[in-house]
Amino acid sequence: METFFSEMENPEVVVTSCSSHEDEKFNSYKRRISVSQELLLEDQMKRKLKFFFMNPCEKFGARGRKPWKLGIQIFKIAMVTIQLVFFGLSNQMVVAFKEENTIAFKHLFLKGFTDGMDDTYAVYTQTDVYDQIFFAIHQFLRLHSMSVGNHAYEKKGAKESIMAICQHFYRRGSIWPGNDTFDIDPEIETDCFYVEPMQPLSNWTQDGNKFNLTLDFHRLLTVELKFKLKAINLQTVRHHELPDCYDFTLTIIFDNKAHSGRIKISLVNDITIKECKDWHVAGSIQKNTHYMMIFDALVILTCLASLVLCIRSVIKGFQLQREFVNFFLFHFKKEVSVNDQMEFIDGWYILIIISDVLTIIGSVLKMEIQAKSLTSYDVCSIFLGTSTMLVWLGVIRYLGFFQKYNLLILTLQAALPNVIRFCCCAAMIYLGYCFCGWIVLGPYHVKFRSLNMVSECLFSLINGDDMFATFAKMQQKSYLVWLFSRIYLYSFISLFIYMVLSLFIALITDTYETIKHHQEDGFPESELHAFIAECKDLPNSGRYRLNDKTPESIFCCCPKMSK
């Protein structure tokens, strides 16, 4: 009996499974429990639940437990944010170098190109097509004496990379538009020839067709000029980072698939970042790299500590949930509702766990990038950016313990189910307008050329952006389509701005007013919180402190008897 009382007095409970023989032993214990013992056990459960739902400050007053998770989260915010800023500055240099090189290549290899001509750059005569092709070849051959950047040909052994000029055309095609007749074989064939960088320019002039290039424009689909160049991003040296080596795979495309008399020209730059093979930089750049890697390692250790503590708290929540369910079933012959059971699962901890995992992965990728073993800047930025966002969101959990800061969290939590249901219904109407706008207005309006563009345009209209331009850019080549566009746009704007959006705002506003009213008059209590409210012990009463004995459970079907 002394062992039994010692087990009851200990508030830490562990639920285990057992055999049928041990169930019989437990049933005999239940029969011997007196009323006073049941009251004592119930009081212990209330106290344990009340301690579980305390905020860090109250737990410190109750048991002297230091708020390690809170301290680590604050420290982690500072560390992760500093890490993100450093990586963001480095990533900006990488992206800027890519974009500036792409612009430079367009000016170097596209004749007469000026900024802003990407969508309108095209040729309309056969002579212009040949001139553009020969101009790009000529610029490629004289790259060393022309480019102001540190661009060079790719070397494979003693040889340098070549330029491939390929034309894709129908196998056979005889077209007589005047007679409305044609004879065509749609099978596509490809014909290529190659230009070596070391080929002397004296054997070829831009006015003469040395390569004997002949294009059958009736059958021609595309002409592609493909070549590789290399460069080194030296601007990172000024920021105490080791430079990266870049491979640019350039493709100049002459698109004649429409056979409309307008051949669109575009330059596509496929960029690969590699580790430089042999390098030497004078100064302390190598030391700075080591310091940054040490800092990243410290971030990883901090996130690991946060991860372990949060996982531990989630597991304790599950254990206490199972214990409370068994307690309620045994004492009150009732099952705990699903909503009350979900109270033990802290979604904020799960959010912090996800952010810690993403931060650890992003930090490892960042260290590999700094060591020049990887060049996945975009992947690393996604991990670090998402993790930093979740870290900052996770801090809201601790603000939620204070009533004045808790209004936003409670409003979002209460409104979320209704908002999701409302958005699902509104999405059906939105998708219907998207498909209708794409199929009807797409050929006549630049903002409706693809489903993605239609969705972006309609979402902008909901927010009141660019309304006049959307109406004005509608072509009036077809009066029927123009009239339909007016009915389409007016009905969409009226429906979503004046009805759907207003209902959406009213839904959240109503929830906000309900939460505000509950904060003034008190929230409706569930069975769980009503049960906890019966415990009147204050956090600093000393009733929550643990005994020195090992915690055990009165609900364990396999009670640990003292030897």
Side-chain angles (χ1 to χ4, degrees), residues 82-307:
I82 293 172
Q83 181 192 47
L84 185 73
V85 170
F86 280 116
F87 181 78
L89 295 175
S90 176
N91 192 34
Q92 284 180 4
M93 288 188 292
V94 172
V95 174
F97 187 75
K98 293 179 180 178
E99 292 178 350
E100 290 176 3
N101 274 273
T102 301
I103 295 173
F105 291 143
K106 289 180 180 180
H107 283 273
L108 287 175
F109 299 108
L110 301 182
K111 186 177 181 180
F113 180 85
T114 57
D115 294 335
M117 294 182 61
D118 297 273
D119 297 330
T120 60
Y121 192 70
V123 290
Y124 302 91
T125 66
Q126 297 183 12
T127 303
D128 289 339
V129 173
Y130 285 114
D131 287 345
Q132 286 284 351
I133 294 174
F134 297 146
F135 176 83
I137 297 174
H138 186 264
Q139 296 291 89
F140 174 74
L141 294 176
R142 55 194 293 263
L143 178 68
H144 283 304
S145 60
M146 176 191 57
S147 176
V148 297
N150 56 358
H151 302 123
Y153 305 114
E154 182 186 33
K155 286 194 175 184
K156 297 180 180 179
K159 293 185 178 180
E160 295 178 327
S161 62
I162 59 177
M163 173 188 279
I165 298 95
C166 298
Q167 56 172 314
H168 308 277
F169 49 88
Y170 294 123
R171 176 179 294 175
R172 186 186 73 255
S174 299
I175 303 174
W176 301 278
N179 299 330
D180 297 330
T181 58
F182 64 91
D183 179 17
I184 194 168
D185 183 354
E187 191 70 25
I188 298 175
E189 293 185 347
T190 302
D191 182 24
C192 299
F193 67 92
Y194 305 94
V195 177
E196 297 181 2
M198 301 305 295
Q199 189 168 345
L201 286 172
S202 57
N203 297 335
W204 175 79
T205 61
Q206 202 168 329
D207 297 330
N209 189 352
K210 172 187 180 295
F211 303 105
N212 195 25
L213 175 64
T214 303
L215 303 175
D216 186 351
F217 290 93
H218 293 290
R219 295 188 297 151
L220 181 67
L221 294 174
T222 59
V223 178
E224 294 182 356
L225 283 66
K226 193 169 185 177
F227 54 98
K228 283 188 176 183
L229 298 177
K230 300 179 75 69
I232 300 176
N233 185 6
L234 295 177
Q235 66 175 331
T236 57
V237 175
R238 295 184 290 105
H239 297 273
H240 307 287
E241 295 183 19
L242 294 176
D244 291 318
C245 291
Y246 289 72
D247 287 354
F248 300 105
T249 302
L250 300 169
T251 306
I252 302 175
I253 303 173
F254 296 78
D255 187 359
N256 191 41
K257 294 177 182 177
H259 290 88
S260 60
R262 181 175 184 262
I263 297 180
K264 294 178 287 186
I265 304 176
S266 60
L267 186 145
V268 179
N269 187 11
D270 186 14
I271 304 170
T272 305
I273 306 175
K274 294 183 178 180
E275 178 186 3
C276 296
K277 297 179 181 178
D278 187 15
W279 55 267
H280 174 73
V281 181
S284 59
I285 291 182
Q286 193 70 19
K287 292 183 179 180
N288 292 329
T289 302
H290 290 161
Y291 292 150
M292 287 302 302
M293 294 184 71
I294 293 173
F295 180 81
D296 293 333
L298 182 60
V299 172
I300 293 176
L301 292 177
T302 304
C303 291
L304 284 174
S306 172
L307 182 65

Side-chain angles (χ1 to χ4, degrees), residues 488-546:
Y488 173 87
L489 292 174
Y490 280 122
S491 63
F492 176 83
I493 293 171
S494 301
L495 177 63
F496 273 84
I497 291 183
Y498 302 126
M499 294 181 63
V500 175
L501 191 58
S502 297
L503 288 173
F504 182 81
I505 296 173
L507 184 66
I508 300 176
T509 304
D510 182 62
T511 306
Y512 172 81
E513 293 296 334
T514 303
I515 297 297
K516 193 174 180 181
H517 177 73
H518 286 331
Q519 281 191 332
E520 295 174 355
D521 301 336
F523 287 89
E525 287 187 338
S526 62
E527 289 185 337
L528 171 63
H529 290 286
F531 181 76
I532 297 174
E534 296 176 4
C535 179
K536 305 301 181 180
D537 296 333
L538 298 177
N540 56 358
S541 64
R543 303 291 300 276
Y544 297 92
R545 297 190 179 274
L546 297 174

